[in-house]
Amino acid sequence: SKAFLIPKYLLGTSRLPFSSIVEQLGLPFVGKGLESSMGEEIVCIRDKASYEELSLNYPSSKEWLFEEFISESYGRDLRFYSIRGEAVACMQRISQGDFRANVALGASVEPYPVTSGIRTIAADIYEQTGLDFLGIDLLFGREKPYFCEINVMPGLEGIEKASGINVAGKIIETIQSDFT
């Protein structure tokens, strides 16, 4: 059994019929723009009007990942940093009144333990991707966390502050050891 769940999702443009998205994902659902960072193009779609706003605010050819809304994780998530499949630091991000928990949008950070489950997820994702240095975001679920996303260029300030761990130093040590 996997250490995490994956939210139901659809890939498409805002031309997809609203009713077919709701049929597959339920309401509300989340729209994630594929080129964004720091929570800028992440929207909560609560009704047909908020879905139609996507077509007004973005080109209709823009690709979106439409995703099941995980209510247990409203305004909070976990970010951990993985170096070659080893979870080295973790934090919980907590928003004040926004469903997104991005530090760039004002969320606060607090330490969170690197659990055996988080270690397993780090190893699994490294095995699947082969990516050496990344931030992994998880949403809180009832029984298990939900995989949210991988960040290949995550900011380090929040996680270093929350965990007290010099993640940048660990990255440099890892790279240096490749050359010695």
Side-chain angles (χ1 to χ4, degrees):
S1 77
K2 281 214 187 260
F4 59 88
L5 303 169
I6 296 176
K8 291 181 272 185
Y9 64 90
L10 287 168
L11 190 60
T13 67
S14 59
R15 294 187 201 121
L16 281 177
F18 176 73
S19 58
S20 68
I21 299 173
V22 172
E23 197 175 289
Q24 293 178 65
L25 304 181
L27 260 183
F29 61 89
V30 175
K32 294 180 175 180
L34 299 185
E35 295 93 36
S36 83
S37 66
M38 299 186 280
E40 284 171 11
E41 290 181 356
I42 300 175
V43 292
C44 186
I45 310 292
R46 298 185 183 285
D47 50 33
K48 192 164 192 204
S50 58
Y51 179 66
E52 288 168 351
E53 279 180 33
L54 293 182
S55 306
L56 301 173
N57 296 330
Y58 301 96
S60 61
S61 59
K62 180 175 181 54
E63 284 195 306
W64 293 89
L65 178 70
F66 297 114
E67 195 175 86
E68 170 187 15
F69 182 77
I70 308 301
S71 59
E72 295 87 357
S73 205
Y74 183 96
R76 65 191 185 111
D77 68 8
L78 291 178
R79 155 77 55 88
F80 68 90
Y81 202 91
S82 173
I83 297 179
R84 294 193 177 144
E86 183 192 342
V88 296
C90 186
M91 67 178 167
Q92 182 176 194
R93 302 184 296 186
I94 302 163
S95 166
Q96 302 304 317
D98 192 326
F99 79 100
R100 300 166 296 179
N102 299 73
V103 173
L105 300 175
S108 60
V109 299
E110 60 183 44
Y112 196 90
V114 175
T115 63
S116 62
I118 287 171
R119 279 194 265 287
T120 300
I121 293 168
D124 285 354
I125 289 176
Y126 182 62
E127 194 178 297
Q128 297 294 316
T129 66
L131 296 170
D132 290 331
F133 310 106
L134 44 111
I136 299 167
D137 295 349
L138 301 175
L139 303 174
F140 289 94
R142 279 192 197 106
E143 286 129 48
K144 291 181 182 178
Y146 281 85
F147 173 79
C148 181
E149 64 188 29
I150 290 172
N151 298 275
V152 293
M153 291 177 51
L156 298 178
E157 190 180 344
I159 199 157
E160 288 187 337
K161 183 178 140 198
S163 68
I165 292 168
N166 180 353
V167 176
K170 288 186 176 291
I171 294 168
I172 290 166
E173 285 168 23
T174 303
I175 295 168
Q176 283 177 329
S177 72
D178 290 347
F179 295 97
T180 54

